[in-house]
Amino acid sequence: HEYVPVHLIERIAHLKRANAHKVIGICLKNKLVNKVSQKYEGYRLTYLGYDYLALYAFMKRGHVTDVIGKLGVGKESDIYKCKNAKGEIVVLKLARLGRISFR
């Protein structure tokens, strides 16, 4: 699916309908997903949503414990200042695959 229907989000995330709509609402508010209502109501991740998932994966693995802030935005990557488990400052570079920016 280009856009994931709500019933599939509920099944994959193991959420009941009310909880799924609450979580989706939070994601919409934070611009992590976009909504479309053409043939069916569906959602897809934004580039910010993909960045959030990547940061979450690094945090879950213990490589990063805190994201201090964004250091920069280039045409091929976003660079974040983070802390690791030892309290050291580390730099995390998230490459943009399939998108470019000239901000």
Side-chain angles (χ1 to χ4, degrees):
H1 300 286
E2 183 177 345
Y3 291 93
V4 182
V6 176
H7 70 86
L8 191 54
I9 293 171
E10 292 168 0
R11 191 171 62 202
I12 292 169
H14 304 289
L15 295 171
K16 294 183 180 178
R17 182 166 292 273
N19 291 340
H21 282 286
K22 182 178 178 182
V23 170
I24 290 169
I26 292 168
C27 290
L28 281 167
K29 180 180 173 186
N30 291 300
K31 299 180 181 173
L32 300 177
V33 296
N34 286 332
K35 177 181 178 180
V36 68
S37 297
Q38 292 176 353
K39 294 179 184 177
Y40 58 88
E41 182 178 324
Y43 299 88
R44 74 171 177 187
L45 283 171
T46 62
Y47 292 123
L48 182 62
Y50 283 114
D51 288 351
Y52 179 83
L53 282 178
L55 287 169
Y56 179 76
F58 278 102
M59 292 179 94
K60 192 171 178 181
R61 292 177 188 156
H63 299 304
V64 171
T65 58
D66 188 25
V67 178
I68 298 168
K70 191 179 268 193
L71 286 176
V73 177
K75 66 180 181 176
E76 295 181 358
S77 63
D78 293 339
I79 302 170
Y80 294 90
K81 183 177 180 181
C82 305
K83 281 188 182 178
N84 64 12
K86 297 176 186 176
E88 301 168 328
I89 300 295
V90 294
V91 175
L92 180 63
K93 182 177 183 179
L94 299 178
R96 290 193 190 103
L97 300 176
R99 66 180 172 129
I100 57 172
S101 173
F102 295 99
R103 294 185 252 170

